[in-house]
Amino acid sequence: MSAEEDVREGLSAKQKHLPAYLFYDERGGQLFTQITTLPEYYLTRAEREIFTTQQDEIAELLTADAKQLSVLELGAGSAEKSQILLKALAKRCALTFYPVDVDSAALQVCCTNLAQQPSLRVSPMVMQNQEALSVFQRVSGPKAIFFIGSSIGNLSDDEARSLLQSVRASLGSGGFLLLGADQTKDIQTLLRAYDDAQGVTAQFNLNILSHINQRFGANFDLSRFAHRAIWNESARAIEMHLVSQQTQQVDLTTLGFSIRLQAGETIHTESCAKYDERRITHLLSSAGLTRHATLQDTKKQFAVYLARA
Ligand code: AVJ
């Protein structure tokens, strides 16, 4: 579905919703980068700690005795965290890195960061994940796919399973998946990570509306919406919503339709699922992948799984 269709379908539904990828215009990308440095947002720091302190173990498992390795990273962005692992891998074998992202500017930064690394060739792919996975399927030799940062959490379990099935097909047999997933923990810690004291996450959430205003000639008034983060127990996910502060009408001129919102009605903008080993093992095995190793930070807030096709 196109972004236009996603917006039309989502805002016409009974529970209004928007796809989380629409957070990421230029300002949205900047706000997310700011989120990753917030005291409450432990995810990025915990995953970086795992990569930093356990890079040798991970590199050892991924390379075994291989003389060369091809690594594809889904949603790589600037590859700020994965470069820790890429440098460790490039010490052991000839490495080709395929960072995938729809944001070509972020991939530029990635290429600049990794230039002049001996034994590392970078081949950026400006495209959607699905397309990249089918291109990577034709790459021969030892392979690994990185899907880190708990990006999997934006997907429902059905969507996650189907993405992991494509990963499995792209890897062929013997390839590795490196999967970063946030762990279930006390609800207060989770809620604070998505509703920080400085209000950066609130700005990030509201920015989806100004992105839609710019892109689809809509007239959302951001002052008439409030950020809300809730825990959905049955989905085991944090949900972000935008709460309409009054009864209002919004016109989406380019899309040729208008919506009405009641006071207190919400637009669901993101789900961030949280995992334990059982949920991950189940998702992996339903996609033909076997969990090989689990790595955690010292506080056990986050986990990196290594799975094998
Ligand atoms: C980029 C999807 C991993 O779910 O934690 C951060 C996005 N949303 N704060 C997450 C996000 C609000 C983030 N992911």
Side-chain angles (χ1 to χ4, degrees), residues 24 32 35 41 43 149-151 154 194 201 204 240 270 272:
Y24 301 96
F32 179 67
I35 287 173
Y41 196 78
L43 288 79
S150 208
S151 300
N154 278 177
Y194 293 88
T201 308
F204 174 74
M240 300 217 304
E270 188 176 38
C272 312

Side-chain angles (χ1 to χ4, degrees), residues 62-81:
L62 285 176
T63 49
D65 301 315
K67 292 195 168 43
Q68 54 128 353
L69 180 68
S70 299
V71 172
L72 178 99
E73 180 172 355
L74 300 171
S78 60
E80 186 268 321
K81 278 173 293 178

